[in-house]
Amino acid sequence: LAVKDPTAVERANLLNMAKLSIKGLIESALSFGRTLDSDYPPLQQFFVVMEHCLKHGLKVRKSFLSYNKTIWGPLELVEKLYPEAEEIAASVRDLPGLKTPLGRARAWLRLALMQKKMADYLRCLIIQRDLLSEFYEYHALMMEEEGAVIVGLLVGLNVIDANLCVKGEDLDSQVGVIDFSVYLKSDDEIGGKERNVQIAAILDQKNYVEELNRQLNSTVSSLHARVDSLEKSNTKLIEELAIAKNNIIKLQEENHQLRSENTLILMKTQHHLEVSKVDVEAELQTYKQSRQGLDEMYTEARRQLREEAQLRQDMENELVVQVSMKHEIELAMKLLEKDIHEKQDTLIGLRQQLDEVKAINVEMYQKLQVSEDAMKEKNEIISRLEDKTNQINATMKQLEQRLQQAEKAQMEAEAEDEKLKQEYVNKSESLQNEFSQKEKQLLQLETDLKIEKEWRQTLEDDLQKEKETVSHLRTETQEIVNVKKEFLKLQEKNKQLKSICEDQEAALQELASKLSESKLKIEDIKEANKALQGQVWLKDKEATHCKLCEKEFSLSKRKHHCRNCGEIFCNACSDNELPLPSSPKPVRVCDSCHAILIQRCSSNVP
C-alpha cells in the first residue's frame, strides 16, 4: 500500500471540517432567524476551524525570547493588498484589551465577518503566493487548492448577519478546540429539525400575511383620505361654479347697461364733433402760420449748425497740420541733438590728441634741455682743456700728435653736436607747426560750436513759437467745444420749446372743444330760459324734498334752485358742472333744463 502524504491528509481533514462548520453555521443561522452574537456555539466553532486552517503550514519566526508562530502577520498583509481593509486593521490595533498577535488576528476575523468581506480579503491574500511564501510553507493549506475552495465556501456566509462585541471580549486567552459532537447527528434530532423547519415556514407565512394586511390597511386609509379630500374639493368647485354663474349674469347686465350708455355717448359726441369742426379749422390755420414761423427758425438754426460744423472741421484740419509740423520739428531737434553729441565726441577726441601733443612737446623740450646741459658741460670741459693746453703748451709739444687726435675728436664731437642741434631745431619747428595747426582746428571747432549753439537757440525759439501756436489752437478748439456744448444746449432748448408749443397747441384744442361745448350749453340755457319765462319759484318752506332723489333737505344736503324751471335739487343730485370763461370755477347745471343752479339761503334771497 502506498503511504499518503500527512500534510495532504491534514489539508483534506481541515477542508472537510471547514465545509461542515460553514454548512452547519448557515443552516442554524437560517433556522435561528435572528442576528447572531458572539455566544452562538456554531459561530464560535467556525472561528476555531478558521484559526486552525490559517495556522496550517505557518512558518516559525524567531524572536528575542522565544519562537513565534502567529497568523497575524499574513492577515496584517491584507490591508496593503486591499485598501478597504485598512479600516478594520486600524480598529484592531486601537482595541485596548488586546495584547497578543493571536488576539488581534481573532478580532480581525470577527470584524471581517461582520463586514461580510472575509472571502474578498482572503481571496486577495491567496492570489499573492509570492508574498504568502514568506509566512507559510509550500505544503500549507493557504498555498494549495484547498485554500481557494475554503475562500469559495466563505462567500456563502454573506447571507448571515452577525453582531459581535469585540471590545470587551478576552480574545488573547481563548483555547481553540474543535467540538466534534456538534457535527454528530441522531434520528431524533433529524425529526426535530424537520418539525422546526415546518414551524419556521408557517411562521414566515404568518409574518407575510400580517405584513400584507398591514400594508392593505395603510392603502385603504390613504384611499379614504383621498376620497374625503376629493369630496371637499368637489363641493368647493360646485360653490365656485355657482358664484361664477352669478357673476356672469351680473356682468351681462352691466354689459347691456354699458352698451346703452355707449350709444348715447356716441350720439352726443357726434353732435359735438360736427359743431367743433369749424373751430378746429380756424385753429388749424393759426397753427399752420405758427408752424411756418417755427420752420423758418429751424432752417436758420440748421444753417448756423452747418457753418459751425464747417468751422470746426477747418480748425481740426489746421490742428492736424500743426501736429504734423510739431512731429517734424521734434524729429529735426532729435537729429540736431544727435549731430551735436557726435561733434562733442569729436571735440573730446581732438582735445585728447592735443593733450598728447602737449605731452610730447614737453618730453621733447625736456630732452632739448638735457642736450643743452650736455653741451654746456662739454663746453666747460673744452674750456678747461684749452686752459690746460695754454698752461702746458710747453709740455704738450711732445704730445702734438695726441693733441691733433684730440682736436679731431673735438671736431667730430662738435659736428655731432651741430647735427643734434639741427635735428632738435627741426623737430621743434615741426612740433610748433603741428601745434599751430591744432590751435587753428580748435578755433574752427569753437566757431562751429558757436554756430551750432546759435542754430539750436533759433530752433528752440521756433519750437517755443510752435508751442505757443499749439496752445493757442488748443484754446481755440476748447472754444469750439464750448460752442458745440452751447449749440447742444440750444438744440435742447429748441426741443423743449417745441414740446411746450405742442402742449400749448393741445391745450388750445382742448379749450376750443370746451368753449364750443360751453357755447352750445349756453345756447341751450338761453332757449330754456325763453321757454320757461313766467314760472314762479317754490317757497322755501314748501320745498322740503329733492326733486330727483326725493330725500329731505338737511345741512349736508343743501338746496340748489334752477333760475329757469324753478326746480329745487340737493347738492348730491346736481353734479353736472359747466366751465365758463368768465368764472374761475365751474358752475352747477340743472338736469332738466341745463340752466345754472344757485344755492338758496332763504325763501326771499336766491
Side-chain angles (χ1 to χ4, degrees), residues 76-92:
E76 194 176 11
L77 187 64
V78 176
E79 63 177 325
K80 297 178 181 178
L81 303 174
Y82 203 84
E84 294 183 4
E86 293 178 357
E87 184 178 356
I88 63 169
S91 301
V92 168

Side-chain angles (χ1 to χ4, degrees), residues 329-344 451-452 455-460:
I329 290 166
E330 288 178 354
L331 184 60
M333 284 295 295
K334 288 180 181 178
L335 292 172
L336 284 172
E337 287 178 356
K338 187 176 180 182
D339 194 5
I340 288 165
H341 286 306
E342 290 178 354
K343 289 183 178 180
Q344 284 179 353
I451 291 166
E452 291 291 336
W455 190 25
R456 185 174 180 179
Q457 187 66 33
T458 54
L459 287 173
E460 285 178 354

Side-chain angles (χ1 to χ4, degrees), residues 63-284:
S63 63
F64 291 106
L65 300 175
S66 64
Y67 293 100
N68 187 9
K69 187 177 181 181
T70 179
I71 61 175
W72 174 240
L75 294 180
E76 194 176 11
L77 187 64
V78 176
E79 63 177 325
K80 297 178 181 178
L81 303 174
Y82 203 84
E84 294 183 4
E86 293 178 357
E87 184 178 356
I88 63 169
S91 301
V92 168
R93 292 191 190 96
D94 294 337
L95 285 173
L98 300 177
K99 298 178 181 178
T100 61
L102 182 60
R104 293 191 187 95
R106 289 169 178 172
W108 189 92
L109 289 173
R110 283 157 175 76
L111 291 175
L113 181 64
M114 283 194 287
Q115 283 188 345
K116 295 182 180 181
K117 289 185 179 181
M118 184 185 290
D120 297 333
Y121 294 156
L122 294 179
R123 182 175 58 82
C124 292
L125 190 61
I126 64 174
I127 289 171
Q128 304 291 332
R129 296 285 178 88
D130 53 348
L131 296 176
L132 279 178
S133 62
E134 297 179 2
F135 300 96
Y136 289 99
E137 300 290 344
Y138 67 94
H139 56 79
L141 177 69
M142 297 298 291
M143 298 290 288
E144 297 293 335
E145 293 181 357
E146 286 83 355
V149 175
I150 291 172
V151 170
L153 292 172
L154 290 174
V155 176
L157 295 177
N158 292 336
V159 298
I160 298 173
D161 293 329
N163 187 8
L164 308 176
C165 183
V166 183
K167 189 174 182 180
E169 193 172 357
D170 187 12
L171 298 175
D172 294 328
S173 60
Q174 286 183 358
V175 179
V177 179
I178 300 174
D179 187 7
F180 293 100
S181 64
V182 178
Y183 306 107
L184 299 174
K185 298 181 180 178
S186 63
D187 295 334
D188 296 333
E189 288 178 356
I190 292 168
K193 285 186 178 179
E194 289 178 354
R195 286 194 298 274
N196 290 331
V197 169
Q198 292 176 359
I199 292 167
I202 293 166
L203 289 173
D204 291 338
Q205 291 178 0
K206 179 187 174 184
N207 292 329
Y208 174 73
V209 171
E210 288 178 353
E211 185 66 24
L212 184 63
N213 191 12
R214 195 180 298 108
Q215 291 179 358
L216 289 173
N217 287 329
S218 63
T219 52
V220 168
S221 62
S222 64
L223 288 172
H224 280 304
R226 287 185 64 187
V227 167
D228 293 336
S229 63
L230 288 172
E231 286 178 355
K232 290 179 182 179
S233 62
N234 193 9
T235 53
K236 287 182 181 178
L237 289 172
I238 291 167
E239 292 175 357
E240 290 177 356
L241 181 62
I243 293 167
K245 286 182 179 179
N246 294 328
N247 291 329
I248 289 167
I249 294 166
K250 289 180 182 179
L251 290 171
Q252 287 178 354
E253 292 176 355
E254 291 179 359
N255 192 7
H256 288 303
Q257 291 178 2
L258 290 171
R259 284 182 178 177
S260 60
E261 291 177 358
N262 193 9
T263 53
L264 293 172
I265 291 167
L266 283 171
M267 292 173 66
K268 289 181 180 179
T269 52
Q270 286 176 0
H271 179 68
H272 291 313
L273 285 171
E274 290 175 356
V275 172
S276 61
K277 279 183 181 179
V278 179
D279 296 331
V280 170
E281 289 177 355
E283 291 174 358
L284 185 60

